[in-house]
């Protein structure tokens, strides 16, 4: 689910911020003291949960409604608006105002620092009902940290009528995407939009080149000839005049496509209902096209997960709440995934029974997710993400040499790997 529309910040790349990234500080101004729970048991327990401000109407009310239905504790929701949810979250974790429960993405620093609780006892009994890739992406040394709430596949959305008018087909390779964008570009419409920073397509481009971020031994796997070539091709696109730059909102928001600024937009399945409402049947999707013959078309799976603060004052009560809401309450889990934009429930039983995903474009999104989906590596940290985003900025935006820039990134990534894995 995207954030509120006034934010230009990309919430959709996973593994955002390392613990300690932000300076310590309170969150008094970061969200209302909202969503008081029912507390019907008279237990006197109070829990605080943090959520970023999702963009879809009804999301804040839904989370508070779920919390109010919980009878074993009073659950307060901090609905954090603005463009820096991560920095506010991590700042709060360094104080005595830290949340008991918070949403984020799986990242190994949280585990290594002892910040997040082991939830194996919660997830283990129903593990086989979760997407296996979601279990893997939250597992360290055989223990499961975090409960996946939603899976958010990302792909290209396009206007079918503009393709027909230009006489072009769906691109299957990155070179074809450039050629297609050129054919679609007019004095009023750009051929393609990848987001204002382009950061959201770094990992998809790596996977579509037949490479990966890290290999199974937690060693660099992205520095290949195919990835070098991918950066060079993206530079051609950047300088072609066929790429929409500096749109009013970033890639997570469907406005660029809906308002006719571009013919193709990289975005997430969460925005599909808004796009369908605006464009009707004049809407199609396709994966990130393959970059090399050794690569393959790629769908990037983002999403959000629920974690328990292992350093909080109410760890067991927080675990009990997380189990109640994100393990036991399937009705709420389905509502969260399908009533406010489209997301794929990480629970297989819910995904298979979801009528909204069984036909039309949503069903096609599920098919592409199942066939081409890639999930984040829990060992791929914020410092590593930033290193590769710097490569993109220096190569694609500034015209630097990809090989030299990747060499620089290798040094930064290897230093992180040494700290994490020895």
């Amino acid at each position: 689910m995207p954030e509120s529309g006034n934010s230009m910040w990309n919430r959709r790349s996973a593994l955002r911020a390392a613990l300690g990234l932000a300076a310590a500080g309170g969150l008094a101004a970061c969200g209302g003291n909202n969503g008081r729970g029912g507390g019907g048991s008279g237990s006197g327990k109070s829990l605080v949960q943090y959520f970023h401000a999702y963009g879809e109407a009804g999301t804040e009310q839904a989370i508070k409604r779920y919390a109010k239905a919980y009878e074993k504790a009073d659950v307060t929701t901090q609905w954090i608006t603005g463009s820096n949810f991560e920095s506010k979250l991590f700042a709060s974790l360094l104080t005595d105002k830290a949340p008991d429960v918070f949403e984020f993405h799986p990242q190994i620093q949280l585990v290594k620092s002892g910040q997040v609780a082991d939830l194996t006892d919660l997830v283990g009994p129903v593990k086989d009902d979760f997407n296996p890739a979601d279990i893997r992406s939250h597992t360290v040394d055989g223990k499961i940290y975090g409960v996946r709430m939603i899976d958010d596949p990302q792909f290209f959305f396009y206007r079918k009528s503009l393709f027909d008018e230009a006489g072009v087909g769906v691109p299957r390779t990155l070179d074809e995407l450039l050629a297609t964008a050129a054919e679609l570009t007019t004095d009023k419409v750009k051929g393609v939009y990848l987001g204002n920073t382009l950061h959201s397509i770094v990992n998809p481009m790596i996977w579509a080149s037949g490479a990966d971020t890290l290999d199974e031994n937690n060693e660099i796997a992205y520095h290949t000839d195919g990835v070098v070539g991918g950066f060079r091709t993206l530079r051609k696109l950047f300088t072609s005049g066929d790429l929409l730059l500096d749109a009013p909102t970033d890639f997570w928001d469907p406005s660029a496509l809906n308002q006719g600024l571009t013919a193709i937009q990289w975005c997430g399945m969460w925005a599909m209902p808004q796009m369908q409402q605006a464009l009707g049947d004049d809407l199609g999707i396709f994966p990130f096209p393959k970059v090399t013959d050794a690569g393959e078309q790629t769908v990037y799976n983002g999403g959000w997960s629920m974690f328990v603060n292992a350093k909080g004052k109410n760890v067991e009560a927080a675990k009990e709440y997380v189990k109640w809401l994100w393990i036991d309450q399937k009705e709420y889990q389905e509502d969260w995934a399908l009533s406010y934009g489209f997301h794929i429930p990480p629970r297989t039983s819910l995904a298979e029974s979801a009528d909204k995903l069984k036909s039309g474009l949503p069903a096609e999104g599920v098919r592409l997710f199942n066939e081409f989906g890639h999930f984040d590596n829990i060992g791929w940290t914020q410092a590593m993400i930033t290193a590769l985003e710097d490569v993109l900025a220096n190569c694609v935006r500034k015209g630097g040499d990809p090989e030299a820039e990747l060499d620089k990134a290798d040094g930064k990534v290897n230093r992180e790997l040494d700290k994490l894995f020895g």
Side-chain angles (χ1 to χ4, degrees):
M1 300 177 182
E3 59 282 12
S4 54
N6 63 355
S7 169
M8 295 298 293
W9 178 66
N10 169 4
R11 289 194 198 281
R12 288 292 169 183
S13 306
L15 311 185
R16 286 292 196 270
L19 186 64
L21 182 66
L27 269 177
C30 301
N33 188 13
N34 305 318
R36 194 171 186 277
S41 68
S43 66
K45 292 179 181 177
S46 296
L47 299 174
V48 176
Q49 60 180 356
Y50 278 13
F51 280 79
H52 81 282
Y54 288 74
E56 292 91 335
T59 49
E60 181 179 3
Q61 293 78 8
I63 284 297
K64 292 177 181 177
R65 186 172 72 251
Y66 309 155
K68 188 174 182 179
Y70 188 59
E71 296 184 346
K72 293 186 177 181
D74 291 339
V75 181
T76 299
T77 302
Q78 287 275 3
W79 191 255
I80 298 173
T81 60
S83 63
N84 54 346
F85 169 71
E86 275 88 346
S87 62
K88 292 175 180 178
L89 169 64
F90 283 109
S92 75
L93 290 174
L94 300 175
T95 74
D96 59 3
K97 302 295 185 182
D100 301 286
V101 173
F102 59 90
E103 68 167 0
F104 202 59
H105 318 288
Q107 65 167 257
I108 201 164
Q109 298 100 315
L110 291 170
V111 177
K112 296 274 188 179
S113 65
Q115 187 68 64
V116 292
D118 174 6
L119 303 184
T120 308
D121 56 337
L122 275 61
V123 182
V126 294
K127 183 173 69 171
D128 291 344
D129 191 38
F130 274 85
N131 186 315
D134 278 324
I135 296 296
R136 285 195 299 272
S137 66
H138 292 70
T139 299
V140 177
D141 296 331
K143 297 179 180 179
I144 302 170
Y145 298 86
V147 182
R148 193 67 151 184
M149 300 183 295
I150 47 175
D151 284 326
D152 279 336
Q154 300 171 24
F155 19 65
F156 282 111
F157 292 78
Y158 70 97
R159 296 280 302 275
K160 292 180 178 179
S161 61
L162 298 181
F163 272 52
D164 291 342
E165 291 170 12
V168 296
V170 172
R172 303 295 182 185
T173 69
L174 191 58
D175 287 333
E176 289 179 4
L177 178 64
L178 267 65
T180 300
E183 293 293 329
L184 293 166
T185 298
T186 68
D187 58 348
K188 296 181 179 179
V189 180
K190 291 294 186 182
V192 64
Y193 180 51
L194 301 176
N196 288 327
T197 65
L198 311 185
H199 290 168
S200 60
I201 54 90
V202 173
N203 280 15
M205 190 275 287
I206 290 171
W207 294 320
S209 302
D212 206 341
T213 51
L214 301 174
D215 64 19
E216 59 186 10
N217 297 317
N218 290 311
E219 295 177 350
I220 288 173
Y222 59 79
H223 195 155
T224 67
D225 291 342
V227 171
V228 168
F231 278 120
R232 290 196 170 117
T233 302
L234 289 174
R235 172 63 179 174
K236 291 179 185 177
L237 177 60
F238 186 81
T239 58
S240 67
D242 304 321
L243 180 67
L244 176 64
L245 302 171
D246 301 321
T249 56
D250 213 335
F251 86 103
W252 44 261
D253 186 280
S255 298
L257 191 73
N258 288 357
Q259 296 175 6
L261 303 180
T262 185
I264 306 171
Q265 178 178 342
W266 181 256
C267 195
M269 192 166 171
W270 60 84
M272 191 179 284
Q274 290 176 266
M275 290 183 176
Q276 288 182 308
Q277 183 176 7
L279 304 174
D281 293 333
D282 189 25
L283 183 66
I285 55 176
F286 62 90
F288 195 96
K290 67 178 185 177
V291 177
T292 66
D293 290 339
E296 62 177 14
Q297 297 177 88
T298 295
V299 170
Y300 174 49
N301 179 52
W304 291 87
S305 306
M306 188 54 56
F307 298 89
V308 170
N309 179 9
K311 299 180 180 180
K313 301 173 183 176
N314 303 293
V315 176
E316 291 306 314
K319 288 176 64 176
E320 191 172 356
Y321 171 65
V322 168
K323 178 182 183 299
W324 175 83
L325 180 52
W326 298 111
I327 299 294
D328 298 338
Q329 302 301 313
K330 282 194 170 185
E331 181 180 350
Y332 291 152
Q333 295 160 33
E334 183 175 20
D335 180 67
W336 187 239
L338 297 168
S339 297
Y340 317 96
F342 288 160
H343 316 263
I344 298 177
R347 301 288 291 271
T348 304
S349 57
L350 289 177
E352 291 178 347
S353 66
D355 289 338
K356 292 181 180 180
L357 303 181
K358 287 184 177 179
S359 62
L361 204 62
E364 176 67 3
V366 172
R367 184 188 70 80
L368 295 178
F369 168 81
N370 288 332
E371 185 171 354
F372 301 115
H374 282 263
F375 292 65
D376 284 291
N377 185 327
I378 195 171
W380 188 245
T381 70
Q382 175 58 28
M384 300 174 197
I385 292 169
T386 301
L388 268 292
E389 289 174 349
D390 289 345
V391 173
L392 181 142
N394 292 332
C395 297
V396 178
R397 288 184 170 274
K398 300 177 183 178
D401 175 51
E403 195 69 66
E405 294 298 330
L406 284 169
D407 284 341
K408 294 178 188 176
D410 290 350
K412 298 175 184 176
V413 171
N414 276 324
R415 283 192 291 275
E416 286 298 301
L417 292 172
D418 285 344
K419 286 192 291 186
L420 290 169
F421 302 108

